[in-house]
Amino acid sequence: CIINGCTDSTASNYDPLANTDDGSCTYPLAIGDIHQGGIIFYILQAGDIGYVAGQVNGLIAAPTDQSSGAEWGCYGPLIGTGTAIGTGNQNTIDIEAGCTTPGIAADICANYTDGTYSDWFLPSKDELNQMYVNLHLQGLGDFANIWYWSSTEYNSNYAYVQNLVNGIQNVAASYSSGTQTASSQYVRAVRAF
């Protein structure tokens, strides 16, 4: 008797009764997988913003940089204050609403499209660190060994950056004025799935 189904025990739909593989096996998503326009770099865990029990959700990095020299934003009240996983999208929305300067890091991400997806954003400080740990340190993502912007503001003059050479997070001047020159840093867009 032939019983068709998935015979691979590592698949999420493994059928222990099947004795003939019918090609239907599906596998859980994992960090490093190519998915929905980029590379998965984080799978949401209980306690993360956006986590839903029983679902696999997470964050995807665009496969390439969107800029190699963008300014963060403009002077004003704190507008990108979230640091945690799951706050980068709201930070980007807030930055876009509070700083209408075209071509800044958040604007580049908010306007990025890979031809299919257009819901990209600038990662928060903690999201950027997960890209460093889960992609760059694993040789994935084709990142430059340089500083990248996060969407997290330190104060009205500085925003968080991360050095992908050694993982150090620091702050950099976020806007130009008569007394300071904004830093130009690399930008990598991310999206949630």
Side-chain angles (χ1 to χ4, degrees):
C1 180
I2 295 175
I3 301 172
N4 289 319
C6 176
T7 60
D8 184 347
S9 63
T10 65
S12 58
N13 64 331
Y14 167 67
D15 183 352
L17 301 177
N19 58 22
T20 303
D21 195 282
D22 63 2
S24 66
C25 294
T26 58
Y27 299 90
L29 294 172
I31 291 170
D33 286 353
I34 303 300
H35 185 65
Q36 294 185 358
I39 308 164
I40 296 174
F41 70 91
Y42 189 77
I43 303 294
L44 294 180
Q45 307 295 313
D48 288 336
I49 295 168
Y51 173 79
V52 178
Q55 293 183 7
V56 177
N57 300 97
L59 298 169
I60 297 169
T64 59
D65 295 329
Q66 281 59 66
S67 176
S68 61
E71 291 185 10
W72 188 88
C74 52
Y75 179 78
L78 292 175
I79 50 179
T81 58
T83 61
I85 300 291
T87 60
N89 189 43
Q90 188 61 53
N91 282 352
T92 301
I93 291 167
D94 294 344
I95 294 164
E96 285 282 279
C99 184
T100 59
T101 305
I104 60 171
D107 187 57
I108 290 168
C109 293
N111 289 302
Y112 172 68
T113 180
D114 67 345
T116 302
Y117 299 97
S118 58
D119 57 347
W120 299 87
F121 55 90
L122 187 63
S124 71
K125 176 179 171 284
D126 292 354
E127 292 164 349
L128 180 58
N129 188 60
Q130 289 300 313
M131 284 196 319
Y132 169 73
V133 171
N134 293 331
L135 293 183
H136 185 65
L137 288 181
Q138 310 311 315
L140 302 171
D142 196 28
F143 291 92
N145 286 319
I146 197 89
W147 295 93
Y148 281 79
W149 283 121
S150 79
S151 62
T152 306
E153 205 168 11
Y154 174 72
N155 63 25
S156 59
N157 296 316
Y158 295 93
Y160 284 98
V161 292
Q162 184 154 1
N163 188 326
L164 270 61
V165 171
N166 53 23
I168 291 174
Q169 288 190 326
N170 206 336
V171 296
S174 57
Y175 73 97
S176 292
S177 71
T179 59
Q180 87 177 11
T181 301
S183 296
S184 289
Q185 311 297 345
Y186 276 59
V187 175
R188 179 69 65 103
V190 303
R191 62 181 300 275
F193 71 93

